[in-house]
Amino acid sequence: MAAEIVNPRSDSSTEGAPEEPFDPVFALHRGGKMAIQATVPVRDKDDLSLAYTPGVAKVCTAIAEQPDLVNDYTWKSNVVAVVTDGTAVLGLGDIGPEASLPVMEGKAILFKQFGGVDAVPIALATTNVDEIVETVVRLAPSFGGVNLEDISAPRCFEIERRLQEELDIPVFHDDQHGTAVVTLAALRNAAKLTGRTLAELRAVISGAGAAGIAIAKFLLAAGIGDVAVADRKGVVSRDRDDLTDVKRELAELTNRAGLSGSLESALNGADVFIGVSGGTVPEPAVASMAPGAFVFAMANPNPEVHPDVAHRYAVVVATGRSDYPNQINNVLAFPGIFAGALQVRASRITEGMKIAAANALADVVGDALAADYVIPSPFDERVAPAVTAAVAAAARAEGVARR
């Protein structure tokens, strides 16, 4: 069976209800955004005997004898569980599992639309780390991969780590790694546009949550010169005594320049600003950045630096919005990453696979590279195949592919 991108709507539930002003958003969501569709016909008793009993028993018996056959004779090898507890949904925060479902459905149809991967939304009625891990482990036999979504920090780090340790299928927290992959791709092209390398850049990240921490670690792995991360209390540095364990580890890895104090002071002379926190960065702080700076203000719907302000001082400006150029959108990464991992039945998604995805995404831009085009559109049909192929090749090179 496959997740079909349809919108089955029934008017029966609205009979007798008072008329309300038309809202296209609610109209689109009525009845949900997805359904299940069979991939084989069941037209008569012969079809039924093959698709179900008695024929299906042959397949069940074969899988019982050779468990790996489940990947060949079920949908497992091309289906992802999109798992959330509803604690960090978009910019809405902790709104609970039921309210998260429209977003999880949206994620599922993006998997299908952009990567050809089936996905099932799973919203859990628990925020307990142990219970989430146990639940996903018990569900895992039905899936080829797990996409963790909208789970608040710092719990998301432990959940992902433990699931990666316990499962032999890819586990990927998109809020962390999808954002990091697309950010690196855009940053590589911005550096190329201005004749620089990553090693020559100093970046400042606003936000020490899941995305900010993942971006910082990923940029370091990719070879950036230096990166400092700021939370609500300022730059995450070794001299602070109020850090969580996660931020203490971050302080050991980042901020080679030894900066301390406010985000604004850290921006003085910085080459790159990356915003994943919300709030507003004062214009004088943006003005203090180095010549030829890049501003990636990715908070939605209100970027940390308005594009009009950013363009006064930066060579390249990116946001998380679709109505401005250079949208840093996770949909550029996660469908192709999972498609590539599933294609080779990878046991995990490695750093090398993520870097390969970022490089492939950057390369799609090619000779069209320009200040307002350092990252391709999600609707560019070259994106998913390029990322898929690069991730599959990297999985084979790193020894995590099983076919």
Side-chain angles (χ1 to χ4, degrees), residues 224-247:
I224 197 167
D226 195 10
V227 57
V229 182
D231 61 13
R232 292 183 180 88
K233 297 183 179 180
V235 175
V236 175
S237 58
R238 295 180 182 180
D239 60 357
R240 283 179 51 179
D241 59 7
D242 60 345
L243 300 178
T244 63
D245 290 343
V246 171
K247 290 182 182 179

Side-chain angles (χ1 to χ4, degrees), residues 29-30 50 96 103 120 122 131 142 176 183 189 198 225 239 259 304 335 352 364 391:
H29 283 77
R30 183 171 296 282
L50 291 172
V103 177
V120 177
I122 298 176
E131 291 178 354
S142 296
Q176 294 183 59
T183 300
N189 275 340
L198 288 179
D239 60 357
L259 302 174
E304 293 87 350
V364 169
V391 168

Side-chain angles (χ1 to χ4, degrees), residues 29 42 46 67 69 79 83 86 101 126-127 132 199 284 318 339 375:
H29 283 77
V42 184
D46 291 333
L69 291 178
V79 65
V83 179
L101 273 175
T126 179
T127 60
I132 291 172
I375 198 76

Side-chain angles (χ1 to χ4, degrees), residues 15-29:
E15 290 181 4
E19 290 189 9
E20 298 179 359
F22 176 78
D23 185 327
V25 172
F26 281 90
L28 179 101
H29 283 77

